[in-house]
Amino acid sequence: MTDSATATTHASQHDILIVTGMSGAGRSTVGKALEDLGWYVVDNLPTQMLAPLTELADRAGEKIPKIATVVDVRGGRFFTDPEHAVEQVRSSTSARVRVLFLEATDAVLVRRFEQVRRPHPLQGEDTLLDGIARERARLAGLREASDVVIDTSDLNIHQLANTVIEQFADEHFVGVQVTLMSFGFKYGLPADADMVADVRFLPNPYWVPELRPHTGLDQPVSDYVLAQAGARPFVDRYASVLEPVFEGYQRENKRHATIAIGCTGGKHRSVAIVAELANLLRGMPGVAVRVKNRDLGRE
């Protein structure tokens, strides 16, 4: 394969997303949501810099597969002829180029600006509605050239973030990154836990001489813990309880959760239960699980 062919292949393997639209329609929320999806986001880029950014993206290829840039009227004198700038980008790269336009009604935009007590970028000495009208006129051509238009009038920030995720997440996107943590109550509660469960209702393998030197990661201890009355129902029911919680976290755009399971010393029961619970949670859609045994190894 020639160098030029290689360059073309790399260029075609990345995405460029141009985010624009009305001030107050949610560009900041969209930028944060895209960052959570793994996009490299550049905010408030002058339209004259779109071409250099595209060239940089082409050179980076697979190293920066997804680049999003926010361009809007905040650029002032640097926000010139955006339709032409977008057309130049489309014609100069083999990457997939899309334009996302954020829209909202005048009434909603006025309310949002009044809530944050900031003037519209194009308001000047006039009213908010005057600034909004100028912006609509200035963005009319860019809106027509957009690939995706999202009306955020009836969306809160979580709903908007989820709309972006639905539109731009790849098939391997993880909705919630869950940390399952075992710990010992005698060393204190984890400060960063979202939910805490106590498995000290199970008999302690510490008092079984042949199990005492081992941990919940060892099969004899795991078998002993899970064979106790109530152990299996606890794991199964707790997983069932967590499933709608994680679904709700995804709807509310909460992307990280720490679930702590405690026993006395954090060596036997909690470690075994966390390992078994992790196997069940990994089967839930949109959930990625990592295990952390906080107090394993302590005396």
Side-chain angles (χ1 to χ4, degrees):
M1 182 179 291
T2 65
D3 291 341
S4 60
T6 302
T8 299
T9 299
H10 286 173
S12 63
Q13 292 174 340
H14 65 271
D15 289 88
I16 298 174
L17 179 65
I18 300 170
V19 181
T20 188
M22 299 297 295
S23 300
R27 294 185 307 249
S28 296
T29 298
V30 169
K32 292 175 183 176
L34 289 169
E35 286 181 343
D36 289 342
L37 291 174
W39 290 71
Y40 181 83
V41 179
V42 182
D43 190 24
N44 199 14
L45 188 76
T47 52
Q48 298 92 330
M49 295 300 295
L50 280 173
L53 180 67
T54 302
E55 183 179 353
L56 175 65
D58 286 341
R59 290 180 178 178
E62 293 177 319
K63 294 180 181 178
I64 312 179
K66 297 184 291 186
I67 293 181
T69 179
V70 182
V71 295
D72 52 70
V73 297
R74 287 175 300 164
R77 68 183 64 183
F78 298 108
F79 186 73
T80 58
D81 201 1
E83 301 96 301
H84 178 67
V86 169
E87 188 55 39
Q88 277 190 316
V89 169
R90 293 189 191 275
S91 63
S92 65
T93 179
S94 58
R96 178 168 60 165
V97 179
R98 287 172 289 175
V99 178
L100 167 62
F101 191 96
L102 300 174
E103 177 67 274
T105 65
D106 287 1
V108 167
L109 294 176
V110 168
R111 185 178 73 246
R112 290 174 181 172
F113 272 103
E114 289 179 342
Q115 287 174 342
V116 298
R117 299 182 181 180
R118 296 187 63 186
H120 188 280
L122 300 183
Q123 180 176 345
E125 299 297 322
D126 299 317
T127 67
L128 263 175
L129 282 173
D130 290 330
I132 291 171
R134 292 182 186 123
E135 185 175 33
R136 285 200 190 281
R138 197 166 177 182
L139 296 179
L142 192 55
R143 189 185 190 284
E144 288 297 319
S146 297
D147 301 282
V148 180
V149 176
I150 298 177
D151 189 331
T152 70
S153 301
D154 298 321
L155 303 178
N156 62 35
I157 58 174
H158 305 302
Q159 292 168 332
L160 175 55
N162 284 329
T163 299
V164 172
I165 289 168
E166 291 170 2
Q167 289 275 353
F168 299 103
D170 59 37
E171 60 180 338
H172 304 297
F173 171 69
V174 173
V176 182
Q177 176 68 59
V178 176
T179 298
L180 274 180
M181 179 189 300
S182 70
F183 73 96
F185 277 97
K186 71 178 182 179
Y187 300 115
L189 289 168
D192 57 346
D194 295 288
M195 300 177 67
V196 177
D198 184 354
V199 294
R200 289 176 295 183
F201 68 90
L202 298 171
N204 193 346
Y206 178 85
W207 301 113
V208 180
E210 61 268 27
L211 297 180
R212 182 178 300 176
H214 299 285
T215 75
L217 296 177
D218 297 318
Q219 197 63 46
V221 174
S222 177
D223 291 343
Y224 175 87
V225 170
L226 293 172
Q228 301 305 310
R232 175 55 61 183
F234 170 80
V235 173
D236 293 340
R237 292 172 187 172
Y238 198 49
S240 297
V241 166
L242 290 174
E243 186 169 11
V245 172
F246 295 152
E247 291 173 352
Y249 280 172
Q250 293 182 64
R251 287 193 301 271
E252 293 301 308
N253 203 32
K254 179 176 171 60
R255 300 300 169 193
H256 300 273
T258 298
I259 311 298
I261 310 291
C263 62
T264 303
K267 179 180 179 180
H268 296 106
R269 291 166 290 181
S270 62
V271 174
I273 293 296
V274 159
E276 191 67 15
L277 186 60
N279 290 332
L280 294 180
L281 298 188
R282 288 188 176 110
M284 294 182 182
V287 176
V289 179
R290 75 182 187 99
V291 170
K292 179 179 180 181
N293 296 306
R294 189 192 74 174
D295 298 323
L296 199 61
R298 291 199 189 212
E299 294 295 332

